[in-house]
Amino acid sequence: MSSPSNAPTLIEPSPAALRPDGTQRTYEVRTLGCQMNVHDSERLSGSLESAGYLPAELGEEADVIVINTCAVRENAAGKLYGTLGHLASVKRRKEGMQIAVGGCMAQMDKQAVIDKAPYVDVVFGTHNLGSLPGLLERARHNDEAQLEILESLEIFPSTLPTKRDSVSSGWVSISVGCNNTCTFCIVPSLRGKEKDRRPGDILNEIKMLVDDGAVEVTLLGQNVNSYGVEFGDRQAFSKLLRAAGEIEGLERIRFTSPHPAAFTDDVIDAMAETPAVMPSLHMPLQSGSDTVLKAMRRSYRSAKFLGILDRVREKMPNAAITTDIIVGFPGETEKDFLETMRVVEESRFASAFTFQYSIREGTPAATMENQVPKEVVQERYNRLLALQERVGNEEAQKQVGREVEVLVGASEGRKDSATHRLSGRAEDNRLVHFSVPEGSAVPRPGDVVTVTITRGAPHYLVADVADGEKLRIRRTRAGDAWDRSQAESCGVPAPATSVGDDGKRIVGLGLPVLRPQA
């Protein structure tokens, strides 16, 4: 089978993007799922805009609603069909509205989506994201639902036009698909075997993101550290990290998610020796029981997992490590669960994404004997949550007094307006809420602030700057890009000049100045 194309994919303007009066139709993409889904949604948005659609304003009922689905968890189908049920009434009253369903659930259920929700106009899979504008046009022209599910990837999603959610950060897919056979996972059957992009194509995409103002990228893959398997280079991922670290203007490199079985010391060395690679690691544990790991076909054991963490922390003492854990896998005993509790205690995770096992049709685990009763799973889940809350809080307390650099986000904190704080991510990817003292300059999203942590909590840190002090701000190219994006979107002029921390005038870029709300 030939490799997917790396050539840029051109999306032609679509007649379906125009209303009868000649104005442009609007769209909204709703993302259900993982970082790969977020990456795909940015490509879907970019493709629709290239075809002539406009993003819907907040609160507006869009002409086209795209649901990009996940199929990993049991409630994924419930979320999809619940959302579709709500949209049915919206579509009845909004003339010309179209609904499209894509992603893993579409790839898996195929015709079932249209059978259960006949008012859906387009169903497309994980391998043909770029087909969406054409499918919408065909559905409108033919006045009937369009179903297109390709069984193999023809083009890398990264070759499609993109509309990034963040001007300072970007997702870069280095591979698609997975060669593992974890018994609980449906992803390999939906996204196929691993396909690796060429290093030059990846680095060129990163350079384009940096040229567009990004200072941070996250490398994506279903098993990111097995990158290079297609072209036979076992150290390809560590080489990629080092090469990306040499790109001028790129300040932060992250990646997700690696597989413990393929995590090698050359990657740890590359992380520690490449300043742009951040001291954060998301390493899925899934279970601390060797018996359960074997049943899951996870080709590592708890001792190897803990050994990786030890070596990471030896080279990067301040690294924050997060994980995924499944509770109640078929056959899990109380003894097995206590092994998970032991490994969590020893691992000292900054945070953990914990899940109750759910049956996914088409996976080997779905037909395994000794399915654990729901009430037992719930009780174990509650114990694990309590343990991780304690561990996370203890690790957060260790951060108090530390000076950290925070990349300011646009909307990281839900309570920022009430607390008069702004938010962003520290180098170790911990969420930090920081105050802006009265009279201080205010950072833009994409700027970097240096603050001292004053309080820790299990899921975030707080840095309150004392009254009378100035917030230490480093204005960045990403902040400049934020200014430009706001100017393009609203065209509201800002004051021509403002005053920085050093008392010197700063030339404005024609944008409103961001201020904490009173």
Side-chain angles (χ1 to χ4, degrees):
M1 185 181 296
S2 60
S3 295
S5 171
N6 281 282
T9 302
L10 301 178
I11 304 294
E12 297 292 334
S14 170
L18 299 178
R19 302 187 183 102
D21 64 2
T23 59
Q24 291 174 275
R25 296 186 191 274
T26 60
Y27 77 90
E28 176 189 350
V29 178
R30 301 184 184 182
T31 307
L32 309 177
C34 65
Q35 291 94 336
M36 192 65 77
N37 288 69
V38 175
H39 169 274
D40 289 349
S41 289
E42 291 187 345
R43 268 60 190 178
L44 291 171
S45 296
S47 297
L48 288 171
E49 293 196 18
S50 293
Y53 294 86
L54 292 175
E57 298 292 336
L58 186 64
E60 175 189 357
E61 288 184 350
D63 296 303
V64 174
I65 294 183
V66 183
I67 306 173
N68 188 16
T69 64
C70 171
V72 174
R73 303 296 166 198
E74 183 180 24
N75 63 354
K79 285 184 178 180
L80 169 62
Y81 292 111
T83 301
L84 289 176
H86 169 72
L87 290 176
S89 60
V90 178
K91 186 174 182 180
R92 281 194 294 269
R93 70 169 184 268
K94 186 174 177 62
E95 185 178 357
M97 178 180 173
Q98 289 184 295
I99 301 171
V101 177
C104 291
M105 184 65 68
Q107 186 81 23
M108 182 172 69
D109 281 3
K110 301 180 174 69
Q111 182 67 41
V113 176
I114 293 177
D115 292 341
K116 293 179 181 179
Y119 44 87
V120 168
D121 298 276
V122 172
V123 177
F124 62 102
T126 58
H127 300 315
N128 58 322
L129 303 182
S131 301
L132 177 58
L135 292 170
L136 289 168
E137 182 176 339
R138 196 189 310 164
R140 190 173 298 282
H141 180 272
N142 296 345
D143 195 26
E144 65 179 10
Q146 300 297 308
L147 170 67
E148 183 176 287
I149 306 289
L150 301 183
E151 295 304 320
S152 61
L153 193 69
E154 294 185 344
I155 62 170
F156 280 109
S158 294
T159 66
L160 293 166
T162 185
K163 175 168 181 204
R164 299 194 344 258
D165 288 337
S166 168
V167 295
S168 61
S169 304
W171 307 98
V172 177
S173 176
I174 68 172
S175 64
V176 294
C178 181
N179 293 339
N180 293 314
T181 57
C182 300
T183 54
F184 57 83
C185 187
I186 195 72
V187 168
S189 65
L190 301 180
R191 291 192 178 264
K193 292 291 186 181
E194 181 172 328
K195 296 291 182 181
D196 295 331
R197 296 178 67 195
R198 293 191 293 264
D201 293 324
I202 297 168
L203 295 172
N204 284 337
E205 182 179 349
I206 296 173
K207 289 174 183 175
M208 285 191 291
L209 287 171
V210 172
D211 288 343
D212 198 37
V215 294
E216 176 183 67
V217 297
T218 300
L219 307 179
L220 295 177
Q222 301 296 152
N223 180 6
V224 70
N225 57 318
S226 69
Y227 174 73
V229 65
E230 268 205 305
F231 43 86
D233 186 349
R234 297 173 67 89
Q235 296 191 344
F237 184 58
S238 61
K239 293 175 182 175
L240 182 66
L241 290 176
R242 293 180 186 274
E246 294 178 0
I247 295 175
E248 186 176 354
L250 180 60
E251 299 185 17
R252 297 186 173 198
I253 301 170
R254 305 188 190 280
F255 58 88
T256 193
S257 289
H259 194 294
F263 204 86
T264 50
D265 286 350
D266 62 293
V267 173
I268 298 174
D269 291 340
M271 293 176 66
E273 295 166 8
T274 308
V277 178
M278 294 293 95
S280 63
L281 176 65
H282 184 76
M283 177 77 79
L285 169 63
Q286 306 302 6
S287 175
S289 163
D290 290 351
T291 301
V292 174
L293 287 172
K294 183 177 180 181
M296 289 178 167
R297 290 189 198 151
R298 299 285 288 180
S299 46
Y300 58 89
R301 299 297 176 256
S302 60
K304 177 170 183 174
F305 184 91
L306 290 168
I308 293 171
L309 303 196
D310 287 341
R311 294 195 296 280
V312 168
R313 287 177 169 136
E314 180 183 355
K315 293 292 182 73
M316 292 169 285
N318 291 323
I321 299 174
T322 58
T323 197
D324 297 331
I325 303 171
I326 297 173
V327 178
F329 187 80
E332 181 190 76
T333 65
E334 177 67 11
K335 180 180 178 182
D336 293 325
F337 176 69
L338 291 177
E339 278 295 283
T340 295
M341 297 282 277
R342 175 187 65 83
V343 174
V344 169
E345 182 80 62
E346 292 185 30
S347 296
R348 313 304 298 174
F349 297 120
S351 64
F353 298 91
T354 54
F355 305 94
Q356 297 184 41
Y357 171 74
S358 57
I359 292 176
R360 302 308 301 135
E361 281 187 38
T363 64
T367 56
M368 286 182 175
E369 297 180 353
N370 301 319
Q371 299 284 331
V372 182
K374 172 65 177 176
E375 62 272 16
V376 175
V377 177
Q378 184 67 56
E379 190 274 337
R380 291 175 183 170
Y381 178 77
N382 292 342
R383 275 192 280 162
L384 178 61
L385 278 183
L387 171 61
Q388 178 53 44
E389 284 287 297
R390 175 176 63 79
V391 170
N393 186 60
E394 290 169 355
E395 293 303 302
Q397 300 313 312
K398 296 177 183 177
Q399 307 304 309
V400 175
R402 280 191 63 203
E403 186 175 276
V404 298
E405 289 194 345
V406 178
L407 178 62
V408 181
S411 57
E412 291 270 13
R414 290 178 297 176
K415 298 180 181 179
D416 283 349
S417 59
T419 59
H420 301 168
R421 295 189 180 106
L422 299 178
S423 299
R425 296 281 169 174
E427 291 173 302
D428 62 9
N429 210 33
R430 284 185 167 94
L431 177 62
V432 179
H433 305 300
F434 61 92
S435 62
V436 181
E438 184 75 25
S440 175
V442 181
R444 307 161 297 178
D447 285 340
V448 174
V449 299
T450 302
V451 294
T452 299
I453 302 302
T454 55
R455 181 164 65 88
H459 305 290
Y460 61 87
L461 304 173
V462 174
D464 281 332
V465 183
D467 289 339
E469 292 188 15
K470 296 285 188 178
L471 187 62
R472 287 183 284 171
I473 303 170
R474 176 165 62 84
R475 294 170 66 87
T476 68
R477 297 163 48 260
D480 295 341
W482 166 264
D483 276 348
R484 290 194 299 273
S485 70
Q486 295 301 289
E488 291 166 0
S489 65
C490 65
V492 180
T497 60
S498 58
V499 180
D501 289 340
D502 57 2
K504 296 180 179 179
R505 293 195 308 164
I506 299 171
V507 177
L509 297 177
L511 262 294
V513 175
L514 177 66
R515 301 187 188 280
Q517 298 179 22

